[in-house]
Amino acid sequence: MNRSYNPLDFEIKFLKGVGEHRAKFLNKMHIYKIRDLLEHFPRDYINRKSKTKIRNLELEERSSIVGEIVSIEKRNYGNKKSQLNVTISDGKDCLLCTWFRFGNWFLKQFEIGKKIWVSGIVSEFSGSPQLIHPEIEILEDEESKESFWHSRSVLPVYPLTERITMNTMRKLVYKAFDLYHDEIEETLPEYILKKYKFEPRKKALQKIHFSKNLYEIESLKKRFAFEELFYNQLMLARSKYNHKRKLKGYQFELKKTFTTKLKNSLPFGLTDAQKKVIREIVSDMTSSHQMNRLLQGDVGSGKTIVTLFAMLLAIENGYQSILMTPTEILAEQHFRSIKKLLENQPEIKITLLKGGNYKGKKETKEKIAKGEINIIIGTHALIQKDVEYYNVGFVAIDEQHRFGVEQRAFLSRKNKHPDLMYLSATPIPRSLALTVYGDLDISIIDELPPNRKSIKSLWWNSQKIDLVYEDVLEQLSQGRQVYIVCPLIEESEKVDLIDAESLYERVRTKIFPEFKSALLHGRIKTSEKDAIMEDFQNGKISILVSTTVIEVGIDVPNATVMIIEHAERFGLCQLHQLRGRVGRGTDKSYCYFIGYPPISKEARERLSIMVETNDGFKIAEKDLELRGPGEFFGTEQSGMPNFRHANIVRDQDLLKQARVLAFDIIDEDFNLENPKNKVLSQNYFNIYYEKEKLFDF
Ligand code: ADP
Ligand code: MG
């Protein structure tokens, strides 16, 4: 069907002029194969014939000018500071370019009379236009007369890395294109190109690197973003349909025994959102296909009860239920709260399976294997080879982005096809959910339980901490409890940050000596942790000084105050998750974000957002926007596809279109056998099929 290789897949080091050494630096920019180099797009273009006049420059606008160097002046100040002023002329007016940091090598490239391109944001200096730290390129420098680029009026400006100069990059791209353009395959079928008015792949690539018509570049690039999103969605669509058609799941029956008993034992009614989500889950679990569902809801929206409801549905049908968490603390927390919720159903046996060897583990495992235990909670200890289950019917995976796809696959392959539910501790922005979890059905609890009092959020500078303590003292005196969160466990020589151990000492002896406080962090022994948590839960401890271990799961409604030290150092979702520990009861709660100067512009923006809103979905969107998709989950295993061209924040519309198209195609032609999808089929089964298999569990 296909040739077994394509030269575009050759390693980049084999391209003439690259070699082992340069290849290493190209790899750093994710250029591994020749095809990657062809997809290394310019981030800007230099128009040598640019007609932009210095006279017409607009203040604050990003602008480029081609001109001639007319003066170079280096000024030295005291204490080793210096300034470089280079003036360029367009024949009529002058533009001052200024640098405050520069090396000798940088200075040396300027020569009076040379033609230069400069690009930057226009500012003003005593009435004349100025660019501060502009990007520059000396034109006709180094280029030999034979170079392809010598005669070009438009030059691409590529993203670079150390040891690769702009000239080298241009030469390499040209060489790759020159040698291999015949090998560039089309990846989108005719009917899609037509529908979206996209250029064929080869032509689009050629124009992006070598076109003179800069106005068409944006629409050309769109094709590549679309293509990435489309294949991502094609894979997710196939995975989803696979589950629905191939994988027979258990067909449970809503027996209304344990489930109803749980419902009746709650001291409150379920919210409409919880009811709606439970209906979605029940309808999935009572059907014959395997459930594959993501459960989302803001902090405190009541996901635990919904999850437990699903667990009990499997259990009342005679099956076991599993809950897997990324950390032991979280497992312990779930264990505690589920135990409490099942206090009046002692016939349901729950266990916590921990990692490592400990007394009683062997017996626990035997009981699990014999089916004497109904609910098993734990970390990846649950998927060790030596753990055998009797009959797992339902698996919940908490914060599943912290697990690798392989781990998830392993968990369900061990068993038949239990119903799966993924829990997310904080909301995931829609565009991200669609690209990472686009093969799952999604349930959202979009409502908080009633009579939750709002949380008053305040951002204070560290110098004013005493005022915060005064407020907090008042709360403590009224019998409320307090969390104080620090970024470090113990004092560090490397960074000057407040650590939990020293702060705990001060809280205990100086700040609030009349109240009982405790220290909690990840290095404290489990038995001790349990005791502390229990004492905090029933009010024996008033102040808990901790690290971010309390970020997830802890639920103490009487704790109404949180102080977050060095709030400037935490990400938005983390701050939101932390803040979610308060405001869980019916009393008004307070969250103090303590910032330690200097606070960067981004940190300032984060803190303003935190003070402004308590809506987890809004905060998540903002977090994605500020940090980008790669960082959002804060872990390498997130399963986040590495898009080269698409940006899911910017390309949300494109994503929607790609998703609809991909799902329609798979709906109609699951195996891509229709002749009109030949191009898709070739490309998909060559490149994406391997990845799809990871989802096939
Ligand atoms: P999260 O979604 O953050 O996991 P939890 O499931 O831990 O939230 O629930 C947070 C708190 O709200 C718990 O104390 C829980 O008992 C309580 N809760 C859950 N559902 C309701 C409800 N419908 N009405 C009142 N309180 C509820
Ligand atoms: Mg929870």
Side-chain angles (χ1 to χ4, degrees):
M1 173 172 91
N2 300 297
R3 183 167 60 184
S4 58
Y5 72 92
N6 182 320
L8 294 181
D9 288 319
F10 288 162
E11 280 179 61
I12 193 68
K13 68 177 176 193
F14 297 123
L15 180 67
K16 198 163 172 278
V18 178
E20 298 273 357
H21 184 69
R22 272 183 180 157
K24 258 191 253 152
F25 293 98
L26 290 169
N27 288 171
K28 281 190 189 171
M29 287 188 291
H30 304 285
I31 300 171
Y32 304 101
K33 298 170 171 185
I34 288 170
R35 71 167 73 247
D36 300 330
L37 184 63
L38 293 178
E39 287 190 43
H40 186 64
F41 289 169
R43 58 176 171 78
D44 200 357
Y45 296 85
I46 295 173
N47 184 358
R48 283 200 238 232
K49 305 238 167 75
S50 167
K51 301 251 167 33
T52 309
K53 292 286 169 218
I54 292 172
R55 171 151 307 190
N56 299 331
L57 291 180
E58 301 262 9
L59 268 179
E60 316 276 321
E61 291 284 314
R62 173 165 288 285
S63 314
S64 310
I65 286 286
V66 173
E68 196 183 301
I69 300 174
V70 291
S71 103
I72 306 161
E73 174 200 26
K74 185 183 163 198
R75 280 199 213 160
N76 293 309
Y77 297 104
N79 57 30
K80 287 188 197 152
K81 279 190 185 153
S82 53
Q83 176 180 342
L84 174 63
N85 285 329
V86 174
T87 309
I88 75 166
S89 158
D90 62 3
K92 209 168 186 180
D93 298 288
C94 285
L95 173 67
L96 178 64
C97 298
T98 302
W99 288 266
F100 299 101
R101 294 177 307 273
F102 54 94
N104 251 338
W105 59 270
F106 184 78
L107 178 65
K108 274 195 197 137
Q109 63 185 330
F110 296 100
E111 254 175 59
I112 290 185
K114 269 195 177 171
K115 209 169 165 196
I116 186 175
W117 169 86
V118 291
S119 172
I121 310 253
V122 182
S123 55
E124 196 181 309
F125 179 71
S126 53
S128 310
Q130 182 186 31
L131 299 180
I132 300 199
H133 284 228
E135 227 188 291
I136 64 153
E137 181 159 333
I138 309 283
L139 301 174
E140 296 155 55
D141 200 36
E142 286 177 49
E143 279 172 47
S144 74
K145 291 268 189 287
E146 303 95 72
S147 159
F148 164 80
W149 296 106
H150 180 76
S151 57
R152 307 292 295 179
S153 60
V154 171
L155 295 176
V157 179
Y158 291 105
L160 297 175
T161 179
E162 48 181 329
R163 310 294 172 86
I164 308 277
T165 64
M166 194 62 79
N167 275 315
T168 306
M169 188 60 93
R170 283 185 195 136
K171 271 185 208 150
L172 293 178
V173 172
Y174 175 72
K175 180 156 294 149
F177 199 87
D178 192 36
L179 288 172
Y180 299 111
H181 63 270
D182 280 341
E183 311 290 342
I184 297 170
E185 331 88 327
E186 185 49 64
T187 45
L188 294 174
E190 199 54 45
Y191 71 97
I192 296 182
L193 294 181
K194 245 200 195 128
K195 179 169 176 181
Y196 293 94
K197 300 200 177 62
F198 289 145
E199 290 269 16
R201 200 166 207 279
K202 183 162 135 188
K203 201 158 174 200
L205 279 174
Q206 182 179 24
K207 284 183 172 178
I208 284 171
H209 291 294
F210 312 113
S211 175
K212 285 183 223 166
N213 300 326
L214 297 182
Y215 57 87
E216 60 179 6
I217 298 292
E218 279 318 304
S219 64
L220 287 166
K221 282 186 176 172
K222 212 161 109 181
R223 187 211 131 107
F224 293 88
F226 179 87
E227 187 180 316
E228 279 181 332
L229 295 167
F230 173 70
Y231 274 97
N232 166 265
Q233 292 300 318
L234 210 54
M235 184 170 77
L236 294 168
R238 276 180 53 92
S239 165
K240 183 162 183 173
Y241 282 82
N242 242 337
H243 275 105
K244 293 262 146 88
R245 342 155 113 203
K246 272 203 338 211
L247 300 180
K248 281 268 179 247
Y250 295 112
Q251 184 159 14
F252 297 121
E253 197 185 311
L254 186 57
K255 301 211 158 147
K256 300 198 174 179
T257 55
F258 300 145
T259 44
T260 302
K261 231 172 152 183
L262 170 71
K263 216 169 87 185
N264 293 339
S265 70
L266 295 175
F268 44 74
L270 295 171
T271 62
D272 287 345
Q274 283 171 317
K275 284 186 205 156
K276 174 196 75 188
V277 166
I278 287 177
R279 272 199 301 276
E280 288 166 357
I281 292 169
V282 168
S283 122
D284 237 4
M285 290 181 72
T286 52
S287 79
S288 63
H289 66 248
Q290 183 195 25
M291 175 163 79
N292 226 335
R293 188 168 282 280
L294 172 69
L295 175 62
Q296 287 204 66
D298 206 345
V299 187
S301 59
K303 295 182 288 282
T304 311
I305 289 156
V306 170
T307 309
L308 182 57
F309 194 93
M311 292 179 133
L312 295 186
L313 179 52
I315 294 169
E316 66 187 16
N317 282 269
Y319 290 90
Q320 291 174 307
S321 289
I322 291 183
L323 170 56
M324 186 161 88
T325 66
T327 66
E328 213 133 85
I329 290 225
L330 199 49
E332 285 157 16
Q333 178 61 35
H334 277 304
F335 178 65
R336 260 193 299 270
S337 36
I338 286 179
K339 228 178 152 134
K340 193 145 173 267
L341 285 163
L342 293 178
E343 247 166 7
N344 68 338
Q345 304 204 57
E347 63 274 35
I348 300 173
K349 304 287 179 235
I350 315 167
T351 197
L352 183 63
L353 190 72
K354 291 190 257 186
N357 275 323
Y358 56 89
K359 214 173 120 230
K361 185 168 182 178
K362 194 162 161 267
E363 291 72 31
T364 305
K365 285 198 306 195
E366 278 167 16
K367 282 189 189 165
I368 294 172
K370 279 195 237 153
E372 288 167 17
I373 292 176
N374 313 98
I375 295 181
I376 305 108
I377 300 172
T379 58
H380 44 262
L382 296 182
I383 56 170
Q384 300 309 306
K385 286 202 185 64
D386 60 338
V387 182
E388 274 190 50
Y389 296 94
Y390 182 67
N391 62 354
V392 176
F394 173 82
V395 179
I397 305 180
D398 201 1
E399 292 212 67
Q400 78 87 25
H401 60 265
R402 295 217 218 162
F403 292 101
V405 172
E406 295 86 346
Q407 268 173 314
R408 280 161 42 189
F410 184 79
L411 185 67
S412 49
R413 200 171 294 141
K414 261 194 102 156
N415 310 291
K416 275 168 244 151
H417 293 296
D419 282 336
L420 295 176
M421 195 159 83
Y422 307 99
L423 313 177
S424 169
T426 43
I428 302 169
R430 191 177 150 71
S431 56
L432 201 55
L434 289 182
T435 41
V436 182
Y437 305 113
D439 58 330
L440 308 180
D441 293 305
I442 298 181
S443 283
I444 300 180
I445 308 181
D446 51 7
E447 170 186 18
L448 293 179
N451 60 36
R452 281 278 160 81
K453 282 276 167 22
S454 69
I455 304 171
K456 191 169 168 76
S457 294
L458 299 139
W459 162 19
W460 285 92
N461 227 322
S462 58
Q463 287 106 340
K464 303 220 174 118
I465 190 85
D466 287 339
L467 295 176
V468 174
Y469 291 150
E470 268 175 41
D471 275 14
V472 172
L473 184 63
E474 206 183 303
Q475 290 285 310
L476 282 165
S477 312
Q478 289 170 22
R480 306 275 169 263
Q481 290 163 282
V482 176
Y483 296 103
I484 306 182
V485 182
C486 304
L488 292 182
I489 296 182
E490 56 188 30
E491 210 175 333
S492 154
E493 292 191 349
K494 286 192 207 115
V495 280
D496 187 19
L497 298 178
I498 307 282
D499 64 280
E501 279 179 357
S502 334
L503 186 59
Y504 167 63
E505 266 320 293
R506 279 199 286 130
V507 166
R508 194 173 64 87
T509 58
K510 295 209 180 76
I511 306 175
F512 300 117
E514 60 278 46
F515 294 93
K516 187 151 173 37
S517 47
L519 174 67
L520 187 75
H521 56 67
R523 277 196 233 139
I524 288 176
K525 272 207 308 262
T526 309
S527 55
E528 220 172 300
K529 248 188 287 184
D530 285 347
I532 292 172
M533 275 323 296
E534 206 173 313
D535 284 352
F536 192 66
Q537 201 104 42
N538 52 37
K540 281 189 197 145
I541 292 171
S542 297
I543 305 164
L544 199 58
V545 180
S546 81
T547 54
T548 54
V549 294
I550 61 134
E551 183 182 334
V552 270
I554 289 175
D555 185 22
V556 181
N558 188 50
T560 56
V561 181
M562 168 163 289
I563 302 176
I564 303 176
E565 295 278 352
H566 287 287
E568 79 281 358
R569 301 187 61 96
F570 295 104
L572 274 175
C573 282
Q574 203 177 12
L575 289 172
H576 182 63
Q577 186 55 238
L578 283 167
R579 178 169 60 185
R581 298 310 104 208
V582 297
R584 298 174 87 85
T586 45
D587 296 302
K588 186 158 181 63
S589 290
Y590 301 85
C591 185
Y592 299 92
F593 299 103
I594 313 297
Y596 285 73
I599 303 175
S600 68
K601 190 166 154 269
E602 292 81 38
R604 237 176 261 280
E605 200 171 339
R606 285 198 297 270
L607 291 172
S608 323
I609 292 159
M610 290 307 295
V611 170
E612 223 168 80
T613 180
N614 194 25
D615 179 335
F617 282 92
K618 266 193 207 151
I619 290 172
E621 292 287 348
K622 206 69 201 177
D623 199 24
L624 176 64
E625 200 183 302
L626 288 176
R627 287 201 296 169
E631 302 292 313
F632 181 84
F633 290 125
T635 138
E636 304 231 317
Q637 296 192 323
S638 63
M640 180 64 215
N642 283 324
F643 293 128
R644 194 183 281 273
H645 306 295
N647 172 326
I648 59 169
V649 176
R650 182 195 61 199
D651 298 326
Q652 303 208 15
D653 282 344
L654 220 48
L655 170 61
K656 262 183 235 153
Q657 294 174 37
R659 182 171 176 86
V660 171
L661 180 66
F663 276 71
D664 281 352
I665 290 173
I666 293 306
D667 205 12
E668 197 178 84
D669 183 18
F670 180 79
N671 281 318
L672 304 173
E673 288 157 341
N674 189 323
K676 73 173 183 172
N677 289 328
K678 187 155 176 259
V679 168
L680 290 183
S681 149
Q682 280 177 356
N683 201 42
Y684 185 83
F685 291 107
N686 274 342
I687 299 172
Y688 291 86
Y689 191 51
E690 280 305 305
K691 292 189 204 164
E692 176 187 310
K693 278 193 258 167
L694 283 176
F695 283 81
D696 191 11
F697 47 81

